[in-house]
C-alpha cells in the first residue's frame, strides 16, 4: 500500500506549526492541478537555498539582545512567519469578499513574504544606519531584488514559469503595471511583515502587554477596489490595538535608549575601522585570503557580488570586533572593548530649545576629551553623538495624507464606501496617535554620566 509523504513541519514560537506538503518526485515541480503540492515544492526549495539559510545568522533586531536578552531570534524565523501570515491574509480576504483564490497569486504573495528580507546584512537595520554614516550606498530592498532576479532564487522561481521571478520582485519593488491588493500584504502599513514582527519581537523581548488581536484582525480584512487592503468598520477597535502596539513597541524596544546606544557604538567601531583601512592600515581587515568579506562589502556597497554577500553573517563582524580589542589604534581598541564587553554609551534627552541642546553637546565633548586620555577634539565624534528619532529604520504609521496614500489602512463601511484611517474621525485613540512625538538623545561615554545628568532631562 502506497503512502503519500508526510508534510514538512516547522515549529514556530508565534504561529505554532507551519506546514508544507511534500511530493513524491522532488526533482520536478508538480503541475498546477496539484495546487498545495506545487506551493509546498516551491516554498521548500526557496527555504533550503543557501542565501535564505544565511538569514539564520542575522538577528531580527540587531543589537537589541544586549538589552533584552531574549531577543536572539533571527531574520529567518521572522521571514518564515511573514510567509505564513501572507498566506493567511490572502485566504481571509478571498473568503471575506466571496472570491475564489488564485493559486499562482497566492504562491507569489507567500514567496514574496518569505523573501522580503533576504537582502538584509549583518545586524539588519543597524548596519544600514552605519553604512549611511560612512557614505556607503546600500539598501537591503535593492539587494533583495538582486537576489530574487540573479541568484539561485530566480532559478527556483523560474520553475513556475520564466516570468515568475519578476512577478515576485514586483511585490518588493512596488513597480507594478497592474496593482493588485495582494501586493499590499507584503508591503503596506498593514502588511504581514509588521503583523509578524510586532508579535515576535514582543514575545522575544518579554513584553506581554504590547500586542494586538491577530485572529480578529484577519477576520475583518477586506480589499478596496481590487487594489488596496481595508478593514471592516466592525474591526476598528482591533486596528486601534494594532496601532497602539506599534507605538508601544517603538518606544519600548526599537527606540529604547540603550538599544540605540549600542547601535551608535557599533557605528563608531565600523567608522573607525574603515577610516584606518582608508588611511593605509592593511591589517585592520586582515584574514587568510587578505580581503575580509566585510571589507569587500564596504568597498562595493550595494554592488557587492552576490557570492560574497551570501556568505556575510554577524559572526564575521563579531570576530573582527574581538580582534580589534587588541588593535594598536587606541580609538578602535577602546571602542571595540566597550562594545564587546557591553560598556555602552549613556544617554540624556536633548532639550527642545536649540541653545540648550548645543550647550549640552559642547559640554559632553569637552568632558570626554578631559576624561579619556586618547581622545581629542578631532576624535571626540567617535564617542559623542546625537541620535535623532526620525533616523531610526523602524517606522511608525505614517499619518501624512500625501505620503503614499495607497499604503494606508482603509476602513470599510457596509455601504461600500471606505476611507483611509487618518481621515476617519470616529477614533480618539487614532487622533491621539497622530500627535505622538519622539525626542532626540545625546549619547556619550559612561565615564561622564554623573556630570551630564546634573540638571539635564532624563
Amino acid at each position: 500500500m502506497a503512502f503519500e509523504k508526510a508534510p514538512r513541519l516547522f515549529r514556530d514560537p508565534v504561529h505554532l506549526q507551519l506546514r508544507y506538503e511534500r511530493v513524491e518526485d522532488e526533482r520536478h515541480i508538480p503541475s498546477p492541478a496539484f495546487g498545495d503540492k506545487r506551493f509546498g515544492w516551491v516554498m521548500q526549495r526557496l527555504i533550503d537555498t543557501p542565501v535564505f539559510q544565511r538569514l539564520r545568522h542575522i538577528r531580527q533586531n540587531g543589537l537589541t539582545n544586549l538589552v533584552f536578552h531574549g531577543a536572539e531570534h533571527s531574520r529567518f524565523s521572522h521571514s518564515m512567519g511573514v510567509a505564513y501570515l501572507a498566506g493567511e491574509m490572502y485566504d481571509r480576504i478571498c473568503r471575506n469578499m466571496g472570491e475564489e483564490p488564485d493559486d499562482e497569486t497566492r504562491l507569489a504573495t507567500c514567496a514574496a513574504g518569505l523573501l522580503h528580507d533576504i537582502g538584509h546584512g549583518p545586524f539588519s537595520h543597524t548596519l544600514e544606519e552605519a553604512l549611511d554614516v560612512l557614505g556607503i550606498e546600500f539598501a537591503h530592498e535593492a539587494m533583495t531584488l538582486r537576489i530574487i532576479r540573479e541568484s539561485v532564487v530566480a532559478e527556483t522561481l523560474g520553475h513556475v514559469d520564466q516570468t515568475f521571478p519578476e512577478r515576485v520582485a514586483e511585490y518588493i519593488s512596488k513597480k507594478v503595471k497592474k496593482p493588485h491588493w495582494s501586493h499590499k500584504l507584503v508591503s503596506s502599513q498593514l502588511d504581514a511583515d509588521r503583523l509578524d514582527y510586532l508579535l515576535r519581537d514582543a514575545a522575544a523581548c518579554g513584553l506581554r502587554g504590547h500586542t494586538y488581536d491577530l485572529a480578529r484582525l484577519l477576520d475583518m480584512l477586506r480589499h478596496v477596489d481590487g487594489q488596496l487592503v481595508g478593514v471592516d468598520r466592525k474591526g476598528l477597535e482591533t486596528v486601534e490595538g494594532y496601532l497602539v502596539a506599534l507605538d508601544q513597541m517603538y518606544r519600548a524596544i526599537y527606540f529604547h535608549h540603550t538599544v540605540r546606544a549600542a547601535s551608535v557604538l557599533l557605528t563608531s567601531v565600523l567608522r573607525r575601522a574603515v577610516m584606518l583601512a582608508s588611511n593605509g592600515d592593511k591589517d585592520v581587515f586582515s584574514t587568510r585570503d587578505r580581503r575580509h568579506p566585510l571589507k569587500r562589502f564596504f568597498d562595493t556597497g550595494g554592488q557587492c557580488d552576490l557570492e560574497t554577500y551570501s556568505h556575510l553573517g554577524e559572526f564575521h563582524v563579531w570576530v573582527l570586533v574581538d580582534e580589534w580589542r587588541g588593535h594598536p589604534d587606541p580609538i578602535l581598541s577602546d571602542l571595540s572593548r566597550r562594545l564587546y564587553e557591553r560598556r555602552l554609551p549613556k544617554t540624556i534627552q536633548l532639550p527642545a530649545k536649540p541653545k540648550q541642546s548645543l550647550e549640552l553637546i559642547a559640554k559632553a565633548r569637552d568632558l570626554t576629551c578631559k576624561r579619556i586620555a586618547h581622545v581629542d577634539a578631532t576624535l571626540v565624534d567617535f564617542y559623542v553623538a546625537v541620535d535623532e528619532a526620525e533616523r531610526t529604520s523602524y517606522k511608525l504609521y505614517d499619518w501624512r495624507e500625501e505620503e503614499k496614500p495607497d499604503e494606508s489602512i482603509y476602513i470599510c463601511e457596509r455601504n461600500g464606501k471606505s476611507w483611509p484611517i487618518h481621515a476617519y474621525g470616529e477614533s480618539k485613540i487614532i487622533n491621539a496617535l497622530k500627535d505622538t512625538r519622539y525626542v532626540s538623545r545625546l549619547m556619550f561615554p559612561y565615564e561622564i554620566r554623573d556630570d551630564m545628568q546634573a540638571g539635564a532631562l532624563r
Side-chain angles (χ1 to χ4, degrees):
M1 182 176 180
F3 292 93
E4 288 193 353
K5 284 189 175 182
R8 187 175 179 184
L9 305 176
F10 296 87
R11 293 293 293 174
D12 187 85
V14 176
H15 309 299
L16 301 183
Q17 193 150 278
L18 314 183
R19 173 189 177 117
Y20 294 105
E21 295 295 335
R22 295 181 186 268
V23 298
E24 291 296 326
D25 185 1
E26 296 184 354
R27 296 171 299 173
H28 305 290
I29 184 171
S31 75
F34 300 92
D36 287 346
K37 291 187 178 295
R38 185 177 175 87
F39 177 86
W41 189 93
V42 173
M43 296 297 286
Q44 290 176 76
R45 285 293 185 95
L46 292 173
I47 291 168
D48 290 338
T49 58
V51 70
F52 185 77
Q53 289 292 318
R54 181 187 70 94
L55 296 182
R56 293 183 184 272
H57 309 296
I58 309 292
R59 284 193 180 90
Q60 166 72 6
N61 297 130
L63 293 167
T64 301
N65 65 313
L66 295 183
V67 181
F68 299 92
H69 64 263
E72 297 286 347
H73 55 306
S74 66
R75 287 277 160 187
F76 179 94
S77 62
H78 165 61
S79 297
M80 293 288 286
V82 173
Y84 167 78
L85 273 184
E88 288 291 298
M89 296 172 77
Y90 181 86
D91 292 342
R92 300 299 178 90
I93 291 176
C94 288
R95 185 198 68 183
N96 296 341
M97 300 297 295
E99 299 174 357
E100 283 295 321
D102 177 74
D103 287 344
E104 195 162 299
T105 300
R106 187 180 190 276
L107 175 57
T109 303
C110 294
L114 185 75
L115 302 171
H116 80 287
D117 273 349
I118 202 169
H120 265 295
F123 302 104
S124 301
H125 294 294
T126 304
L127 179 69
E128 291 192 56
E129 293 174 29
L131 293 173
D132 182 58
V133 173
L134 290 166
I136 299 172
E137 292 188 10
F138 178 80
H140 77 270
E141 295 91 348
M143 183 60 76
T144 293
L145 290 172
R146 285 188 60 197
I147 292 171
I148 290 174
R149 291 166 172 162
E150 302 172 24
S151 73
V152 65
V153 169
E155 179 182 339
T156 302
L157 294 172
H159 284 287
V160 179
D161 67 54
Q162 292 183 346
T163 66
F164 201 64
E166 190 57 36
R167 181 173 179 181
V168 173
E170 288 178 346
Y171 283 77
I172 312 298
S173 69
K174 305 177 186 177
K175 297 177 180 178
V176 186
K177 294 180 180 179
K178 187 178 180 181
H180 187 267
W181 58 264
S182 64
H183 292 91
K184 305 306 176 187
L185 305 183
V186 177
S187 181
S188 70
Q189 305 229 42
L190 183 67
D191 57 23
D193 180 26
R194 294 192 188 201
L195 293 185
D196 181 83
Y197 75 61
L198 284 181
L199 296 177
R200 193 173 302 275
D201 295 351
C205 293
L207 303 181
R208 296 187 178 182
H210 299 58
T211 186
Y212 64 95
D213 190 344
L214 174 62
R216 174 72 174 174
L217 186 57
L218 290 175
D219 280 335
M220 293 294 106
L221 290 175
R222 303 284 188 273
H223 71 67
V224 179
D225 299 329
Q227 297 183 7
L228 307 172
V229 170
V231 179
D232 190 282
R233 167 66 183 80
K234 294 188 298 183
L236 177 60
E237 292 78 11
T238 309
V239 176
E240 290 175 338
Y242 160 73
L243 293 173
V244 168
L246 187 62
D247 179 80
Q248 289 176 329
M249 289 291 285
Y250 189 87
R251 288 185 283 116
I253 297 177
Y254 308 135
F255 197 50
H256 187 284
H257 63 100
T258 309
V259 172
R260 296 300 306 155
S263 300
V264 169
L265 180 54
L266 174 62
T267 298
S268 291
V269 171
L270 296 176
R271 280 175 54 213
R272 186 58 177 173
V274 170
M275 178 182 292
L276 293 175
S278 300
N279 291 337
D281 186 342
K282 298 180 180 180
D283 295 327
V284 70
F285 287 102
S286 62
T287 59
R288 292 177 183 176
D289 63 357
R290 296 184 181 180
R291 282 192 82 205
H292 192 281
L294 187 65
K295 180 61 167 61
R296 294 201 293 270
F297 174 52
F298 283 162
D299 287 343
T300 54
Q303 300 305 310
C304 181
D305 67 277
L306 295 184
E307 178 66 20
T308 295
Y309 194 78
S310 66
H311 289 91
L312 197 57
E314 291 178 5
F315 51 86
H316 286 107
V317 181
W318 280 118
V319 168
L320 285 174
V321 171
D322 184 26
E323 293 180 354
W324 289 338
R325 291 192 296 163
H327 195 277
D329 177 73
I331 299 295
L332 181 59
S333 60
D334 181 40
L335 292 172
S336 299
R337 284 195 298 270
R338 290 170 186 264
L339 180 60
Y340 196 90
E341 299 164 12
R342 200 191 174 279
R343 292 185 284 119
L344 305 176
K346 300 302 178 182
T347 70
I348 55 173
Q349 291 182 192
L350 283 173
K353 296 181 178 179
K355 181 180 179 181
Q356 294 178 352
S357 293
L358 291 174
E359 289 174 351
L360 277 174
I361 295 169
K363 180 180 179 181
R365 291 171 62 89
D366 181 61
L367 286 171
T368 300
C369 292
K370 291 178 179 178
R371 298 286 175 82
I372 303 177
H374 55 265
V375 177
D376 59 26
T378 65
L379 300 170
V380 71
D381 287 341
F382 288 106
Y383 290 83
V384 178
V386 175
D387 189 45
E388 303 284 355
E390 63 267 20
R391 292 184 62 186
T392 61
S393 298
Y394 288 97
K395 299 301 182 185
L396 283 166
Y397 191 94
D398 197 328
W399 298 102
R400 295 170 294 178
E401 294 186 32
E402 70 276 10
E403 186 72 19
K404 301 179 181 178
D406 61 325
E407 293 188 10
S408 298
I409 301 173
Y410 280 76
I411 302 299
C412 306
E413 296 281 4
R414 287 301 175 93
N415 60 10
K417 295 182 178 180
S418 60
W419 292 269
I421 197 168
H422 52 251
Y424 199 74
E426 295 189 19
S427 172
K428 293 181 179 179
I429 292 176
I430 290 172
N431 289 331
L433 287 173
K434 290 181 186 179
D435 297 326
T436 301
R437 296 291 182 270
Y438 294 90
V439 298
S440 299
R441 298 191 183 104
L442 177 63
M443 301 190 172
F444 47 82
Y446 62 87
E447 291 93 331
I448 65 171
R449 174 177 56 182
D450 292 343
D451 295 285
M452 292 301 302
Q453 287 185 340
L457 290 175
R458 292 182 180 273

